[in-house]
Amino acid sequence: MVEQLSALEMASTEKRETSMKAITLLYHDVVKGDMESSGIAGAGAALYKLDVDQFKAHLDAIAATITQPIRLVSDLIEASDLPVLLTFDDGGISAYTQIAPLLESHGWRGHFFITTARIGEPTFMNADQIRELASRGHVIGSHSHTHPSLISGLSNDVLLDEWRTSAQILSEIIDQPVTTASVPGGFFSTDVAQTAAKAGIQWLFNSEPTTQISVVAGCRIMGRYNIWRKTPAETAARLARGDMSLRLMQSLSWNAKKVAKRLGGSSYVKMRRLLLNLLRG
Ligand SMILES: [Zn+2]
């Protein structure tokens, strides 16, 4: 299904669509009650953390609905259906203690994107744990070095340094090149992608809810569907089987936010209210 990139696509620094598609779900931490036990601290980050039982229910619901195995970027070449990928951002300790064993109980592997400046902190994985996940068949990728609050606002030099430093630290840990990454906060720009490509990243996951795979400077850009603490297992399963209405809803909401952010705060609230009414209607 996945074609070779043309010379034009390799050379182009503009974002271009390819004929490739995939459904990728974006998770963060999985905790046992204590929100501060894994990953980034604070109320904002907690909105994305699932409890263990909830995460188990998500995986069971996904397993019951999909007709194909969960894939990794490395096996997209052979994929014939709309492939489903699971990704986990930030590099919190729960990737090692909860998430990977639960994925493996289904025979699945995931993509773990690590904020390398946090490696070894109490609520983040250490180098040994990251190495072990890689040896168990999971994909280890970069989530930048410092997780800047607005990565798309950085100069190209700083951006390149974020990707290069992070990829180098991880490749030394897992003893293989690091070719995947995800964008912190989902703040994507072509500069974010071009600098990632320069640092050797071939697959860059952002937070745009789309199945369309694009390419910038030879780096494939993968959209993702965000999973929140409040996301029911059934919703995750419907996303995984490619439910059009749900995908459309996430896409509408994401685009409305983007427009409203440009217009200013109160417009965002109005737009959100309008959208919710439309969806209810
Ligand atoms: Zn993050």
Side-chain angles (χ1 to χ4, degrees):
M1 169 208 171
V2 174
E3 83 277 30
Q4 293 292 314
L5 293 177
S6 67
L8 185 66
E9 284 169 328
M10 294 294 290
S12 174
T13 52
E14 295 299 312
K15 190 174 169 197
R16 283 161 194 267
E17 290 190 350
T18 70
S19 60
M20 299 147 58
K21 289 188 192 307
I23 294 202
T24 306
L25 301 187
L26 163 53
Y27 286 90
H28 288 77
D29 294 275
V30 173
V31 296
K32 268 189 176 159
D34 179 7
M35 288 294 181
E36 304 301 301
S37 62
S38 181
I40 295 173
L47 296 174
Y48 298 94
K49 296 180 184 180
L50 273 66
D51 273 308
V52 174
D53 288 344
Q54 197 186 359
F55 184 60
K56 278 185 190 163
H58 275 229
L59 296 187
D60 289 343
I62 292 169
T65 195
I66 58 172
T67 54
Q68 49 168 324
I70 293 290
R71 308 234 177 227
L72 296 176
V73 283
S74 46
D75 32 71
L76 283 188
I77 307 296
E78 292 92 35
S80 54
D81 303 318
L82 188 59
V84 182
L85 290 79
L86 300 178
T87 66
F88 302 87
D89 276 9
D90 292 343
I93 183 77
S94 66
Y96 180 79
T97 55
Q98 310 291 346
I99 299 168
L102 287 169
L103 291 180
E104 289 163 16
S105 72
H106 285 273
W108 299 340
R109 298 295 181 272
H111 305 75
F112 294 94
F113 297 111
I114 318 287
T115 308
T116 41
R118 312 292 301 263
I119 291 173
E121 287 187 19
T123 64
F124 288 83
M125 286 192 285
N126 63 33
D128 288 342
Q129 291 163 336
I130 293 168
R131 189 177 303 114
E132 192 186 318
L133 288 194
S135 72
R136 279 155 53 179
H138 298 280
V139 172
I140 299 297
S142 163
H143 192 47
S144 81
H145 184 53
T146 65
H147 205 295
S149 51
L150 184 61
I151 193 166
S152 53
L154 301 177
S155 71
N156 278 1
D157 285 350
V158 180
L159 268 173
L160 185 58
D161 193 49
E162 281 283 340
W163 292 128
R164 272 197 179 142
T165 304
S166 178
Q168 190 182 344
I169 289 171
L170 289 171
S171 62
E172 276 167 20
I173 291 173
I174 64 174
D175 199 24
Q176 48 182 298
V178 167
T179 57
T180 61
S182 71
V183 181
F187 292 104
F188 178 84
S189 70
T190 47
D191 284 350
V192 168
Q194 282 178 38
T195 50
K198 262 191 198 165
I201 301 302
Q202 294 170 13
W203 303 89
L204 181 64
F205 293 79
N206 63 20
S207 305
E208 178 173 356
T210 177
T211 57
Q212 181 67 57
I213 302 177
S214 305
V215 61
V216 173
C219 177
R220 292 175 175 95
I221 311 300
M222 314 276 292
R224 293 189 291 181
Y225 294 87
N226 223 320
I227 304 291
W228 287 270
R229 180 169 180 73
K230 284 186 176 167
T231 306
E234 179 52 28
T235 301
R238 280 172 62 194
L239 283 170
R241 71 167 179 260
D243 184 299
M244 276 301 274
S245 61
L246 261 185
R247 279 163 46 200
L248 186 65
M249 209 191 296
Q250 279 216 6
S251 171
L252 276 172
S253 164
W254 191 82
N255 281 302
K257 260 185 222 166
K258 221 168 57 170
V259 171
K261 269 181 189 160
R262 263 184 227 137
L263 297 174
S266 66
S267 314
Y268 171 60
V269 176
K270 276 184 214 152
M271 182 84 80
R272 195 179 143 84
R273 203 174 297 145
L274 179 72
L275 188 70
L276 285 172
N277 284 336
L278 272 174
L279 291 170
R280 276 196 206 107

